[in-house]
Amino acid sequence: MKLRLLKSFQSGLSACLLAMCGLSDAAAADNWHWHGFVSQGLMQASDSNFVNDDGAISTELTEFGVNGSYQFSADLRLSGQLMYLDGGNRYASGGRVDYLFLNWTAVNNLDWQLNLYAGRFKNMHWLYSSTRDVPMTRPMIVLPQSVYFDAFRDIAVGSDGIALQSTNTTAIGEFEMIWSYGAIPISKEMARRVIATQLRGDTEQKYVHQATLFFRPANSQTQWGISLLDSGFEYRQAQPDLFFDGEFTVQRVMANWRYSAELWELSSELMQERVFARGFYLPGFNRNQFAQGAFLLGSYNWSENTRLYASYDWYTANKDDRGGALLPLQSGGLIARYFGYQRDWGLGITQELDRNLRLKLEYHWITGTGRLGPNVVPAIDINRSRQHDIWAVQLMYWF
């Protein structure tokens, strides 16, 4: 069944791109390129709803997709990716268009390159935001949730709008500047995984505005970056509904760093996120809260075919209440303190089995439930344990 879906995705993407190009198969042969991947695994998150509600071993670790591009000319290209995901509670299962955009290279010389993207472009602002959509290009099966919150995956992977990317080489190093503006449609199922399982109304992302600066010093193996994000969401209640009309403003400041050596790599991102809520819980309700998070992720080439990974991820939902002491007081004892934070130690190993065949194994020891979905109204009836863990094994093939 999944292989038939993959073939349908491949045919659909080809037809979509060729139709947009207005070209026949023969005319497009030289300029058309496509790739695909299939990935299947097993996963268990005992004592939490990260994968499912009962904590059982799950096969809901399926990812396959097809991506392709058509080169109109040396400076104009069309790219797209169709994706199928089955991840249990992590994100909505089914197909989606991760990206479909035109890329115009306006300037391309030795010192300066300027690209314009229009359509559903990829999020290029964070260290792993542009590579998290493909299992082979992610460092780990489960990325640090402080920054790469899985329930938010389809909202964060890309946006419908425009983006600019400028890369400048100078005497002191390389500067890369990225700017983007857009929005993404939000389905009810997606909103329920992020906001609340009881949600009945409609959720809309009004806009997301991002800007990033990366700096790679000359004769150095490091990269430094800073990113800004401003986004607005709107909720319109249904009848009947447990929630009211409301608006959310989400603003992030992020700093990142990466060091790449011959056999090993270290990377880190730090973020502070402001969430301003108006209405939703009650008419006239207002709450302004700052979350903070950070991770350190390292990898080492043990051998030609084996790579080891280790990570530590830290998150607090309220920087003024790091231990979550206010949550029981504010909720009349319904929400435990451990919903206010999350700490995650992770270990992983990747083994190359063949030229295009890879096996990943991973384990996470977690304290706190602050980064389990839904995030706005937590699932207190399921996540009753302060300590929980995740293990996963995933086999992936690409072509």
Side-chain angles (χ1 to χ4, degrees), residues 193-213:
R193 293 170 191 272
V194 176
I195 301 174
T197 55
Q198 309 94 334
L199 215 63
R200 296 175 60 88
D202 295 320
T203 307
E204 177 188 0
Q205 183 180 50
K206 299 165 67 176
Y207 67 91
V208 56
H209 190 189
Q210 296 194 73
T212 296
L213 173 64

Side-chain angles (χ1 to χ4, degrees), residues 303 305-307 349-353 357-361:
S303 69
N305 296 317
T306 306
R307 192 169 182 88
I349 181 171
T350 293
Q351 182 67 38
E352 305 293 335
L353 302 177
L357 188 64
R358 181 179 298 168
L359 181 68
K360 281 190 175 185
L361 301 95

